[in-house]
Amino acid sequence: MDSQTGTLYGIGVGPGDPDLIPLKAVKALQRTRRVFTAASSKNDYSLAVRIAAPHLPEGAVIRQLPFPMTKDRKSKEAAWDANAAIIAATLTAGEDACFLTLGDPLTYSTYGYVLRALKKGFPDLPVITIPGITSYQASAAALNTPLVEGDESLLVMAGTQGTERIRCLNGHAENVVILKAYRNVGAICQALDEAHLLAASTGVVRCGMPDQEVVADIRELASRAPNYWTLIIAKRERLHGPEEH
Ligand SMILES: C[S@@+](CC[C@H](N)C(=O)[O-])C[C@H]1O[C@@H](n2cnc3c(N)ncnc32)[C@H](O)[C@@H]1O
């Protein structure tokens, strides 16, 4: 590729606490004037911009790209392709660019779709993805609770996908992280109960933000107004202490 071509940095700014942005991301931001992020009414992406803003050079240009919240696959793909083309135009003009996401950019993130569209339409453009701290890593830290120990396993899933998978877990995964746990919480609790995962479950709402909340009894979440920034960490009830390895 032409030496004048810019590089895209896919950056995860962490889940909310501005101190949880990786140093590598800060260094990339400090030398990048073109910043892209996803615009969406549901997810507060302006938070990602607020976290990144102190690290941007003077005169940096921030552009929010529209990603429609629709189930229509064709409209979504058209938006991914169109946004990839906008980013590609910046890179081919010789400028580096950042794409900001909350948490980790490769974990349930719009960046994943942009990346796929870029690889498909502009396979020669250089892309460097900088990992971020996920919401569930930060939540486990906030709870001072290990995510996995010894030979245990961890399932990361979206609460929006239904509860059948949780029901099938009995005996298969010792730890489950449920992101997007702002809908169907009653059904999620029921399924966790059936899989012997309810008693040792904790909800974390707005982790790392000034109004962070830890919900010890996740059944409470079912009776509240849904908060998009909600996740659940569920652990198998232990009859004995943890195995040491
Ligand atoms: C589209 S996913 C983004 C995940 C993000 N890329 C990550 O690495 O954690 C959005 C879901 O992540 C979870 N989430 C993200 N940030 C959070 C936070 N600060 N506190 C609690 N949950 C959060 C919520 O479950 C939310 O519905």
Side-chain angles (χ1 to χ4, degrees), residues 164-177:
E164 201 43 48
R165 183 164 298 179
I166 302 174
R167 283 201 174 80
C168 300
L169 275 179
N170 202 353
H172 295 292
E174 294 82 3
N175 306 283
V176 186
V177 162

Side-chain angles (χ1 to χ4, degrees), residues 134-147 177 204 207 231 233:
T134 64
S135 51
Y136 61 90
Q137 289 171 301
S139 296
L143 300 173
N144 288 319
T145 299
L147 275 173
V177 162
V204 182
C207 179
L231 62 80
I233 297 180

Side-chain angles (χ1 to χ4, degrees), residues 15-16 43 45 102-105 107-109 133-136 139 178-182 204-209 228-231:
N43 319 341
Y45 281 99
L102 278 166
D104 172 67
T107 303
Y108 292 129
S109 171
I133 294 174
T134 64
S135 51
Y136 61 90
S139 296
I178 306 172
L179 299 187
K180 307 184 190 181
Y182 55 96
V204 182
V205 184
R206 299 183 69 84
C207 179
M209 304 183 203
Y228 180 76
W229 304 108
T230 303
L231 62 80

